[in-house]
Amino acid sequence: MNIEYIHSWSMEPVQAIDLQKKLRDKLTFEDYSREPRLVAGIDVSFPFREIALAVIVIMEFNSLSIVDHFFSLKKVETPYIPGLLSFREGPAILDALSRSPEVDLLFFDGHGIAHPRGIGIASHIGLFVEIPTIGVAKSLLYGKVESLPREKGQSSRILSPGGRLLGYALCTRTSVKPVFISPGNRITAESALRLSIRTIGKYRIPEPTRQAHILTQRLKNQLVL
DNA sequence: GCGACAG
DNA sequence: ATCTTGTCGC
């Protein structure tokens, strides 16, 4: 766990935005051409209004079979504000990660650099770990897609207002709305896309994040019952 | 000032 | 994200 950028998570929106602008310059982007063995999907649910349940699902990259899982229950201290998602879900996620063994790659439910200030949850959390992180979002927050990919496996670029490549809209099922892939930290948009494509299963949401979501919902219910 | 707006 | 059953469509 890289403690170099640790900071408080409870702060006012203006302070949080200020911190994001300062942290975005710490992000790095490099190709990832090797073959990851273990990857993990991360998702968060809310069993109670102010309690976040973060789940880490570890799976084999080549078979997409689940190997193990870890979770954490944490009280939330900030409301959900578009662009500041990491401040709400970050604490629970980092705690769950501290209980989980190291893997080669992390997939998040949300964006990486396809964000107003270039530092979505996948990028922000990515500063605390030493492995590459990828954002897999279900809807667009920032930027524009060049065209809508409608055939499974196809993709189109997500561009910033200034024309910078932020990531890709990836069609994971023919004629179904795409998911939005963007690099978090320590990886390029191209590599993030290539690796994400390999985690596509039979559904719209790629397996790592999909399995994490299923488990986060299941654990939430087991908690009440 | 008017929209847009991850989970 | 969360509160919730059935139902339309590929």
Side-chain angles (χ1 to χ4, degrees):
Chain A
M1 189 71 66
N2 182 359
I3 63 173
E4 191 172 345
Y5 304 113
I6 58 173
H7 60 72
S8 165
W9 292 96
S10 53
M11 53 182 96
E12 297 303 299
V14 279
Q15 321 299 345
I17 289 175
D18 214 51
L19 178 57
Q20 291 184 317
K21 292 177 179 175
K22 190 172 57 180
L23 293 177
R24 66 180 170 195
D25 299 320
K26 312 301 180 186
L27 299 172
T28 60
F29 310 101
E30 54 184 89
D31 281 313
Y32 190 97
S33 306
R34 11 168 194 148
E35 177 87 356
R37 188 177 98 66
L38 291 179
V39 301
I42 300 174
D43 191 31
V44 178
S45 68
F46 297 83
F48 300 102
R49 194 60 171 174
E50 305 207 335
I51 300 296
L53 168 59
V55 171
I56 312 290
V57 170
I58 297 179
M59 56 203 312
E60 287 188 345
F61 182 70
N62 57 45
S63 65
L64 296 183
S65 59
I66 298 178
V67 173
D68 208 344
H69 66 81
F70 301 85
F71 70 89
S72 170
L73 282 169
K74 207 86 174 179
K75 184 172 183 176
V76 299
E77 57 288 274
T78 65
Y80 166 67
I81 297 176
L84 298 180
L85 177 65
S86 60
F87 289 84
R88 181 174 170 73
E89 306 188 341
I93 290 176
L94 285 184
D95 190 48
L97 282 173
S98 71
R99 307 183 188 190
S100 166
E102 299 283 319
V103 294
D104 304 307
L105 191 63
L106 256 34
F107 289 92
F108 288 79
D109 183 13
H111 293 96
I113 64 171
H115 174 281
R117 291 166 291 286
I119 181 166
I121 193 166
S123 297
H124 196 159
I125 302 302
L127 287 175
F128 297 84
V129 295
E130 39 286 288
I131 56 177
T133 57
I134 296 174
V136 181
K138 300 181 289 298
S139 64
L140 202 56
L141 167 68
Y142 182 74
K144 292 193 172 183
V145 177
E146 290 194 301
S147 64
L148 294 197
R150 302 217 109 170
E151 233 174 87
K152 181 174 181 176
Q154 297 191 316
S155 62
S156 76
R157 305 191 298 173
I158 298 175
L159 302 175
S160 70
R164 290 287 302 164
L165 176 65
L166 301 178
Y168 296 88
L170 171 64
C171 179
T172 51
R173 283 195 70 176
T174 299
S175 299
V176 169
K177 182 198 300 182
V179 290
F180 305 88
I181 308 299
S182 63
N185 190 29
R186 305 190 184 214
I187 193 169
T188 60
E190 297 70 27
S191 294
L193 174 64
R194 181 181 70 76
L195 291 165
S196 294
I197 288 177
R198 293 199 48 183
T199 66
I200 295 177
K202 192 177 180 182
Y203 307 89
R204 178 169 91 110
I205 308 301
E207 287 308 297
T209 293
R210 194 178 84 84
Q211 293 303 334
H213 183 263
I214 290 175
L215 193 47
T216 201
Q217 290 301 314
R218 170 173 296 185
L219 288 179
K220 181 187 68 174
N221 294 322
Q222 282 185 7
L223 205 55
V224 179
L225 302 182

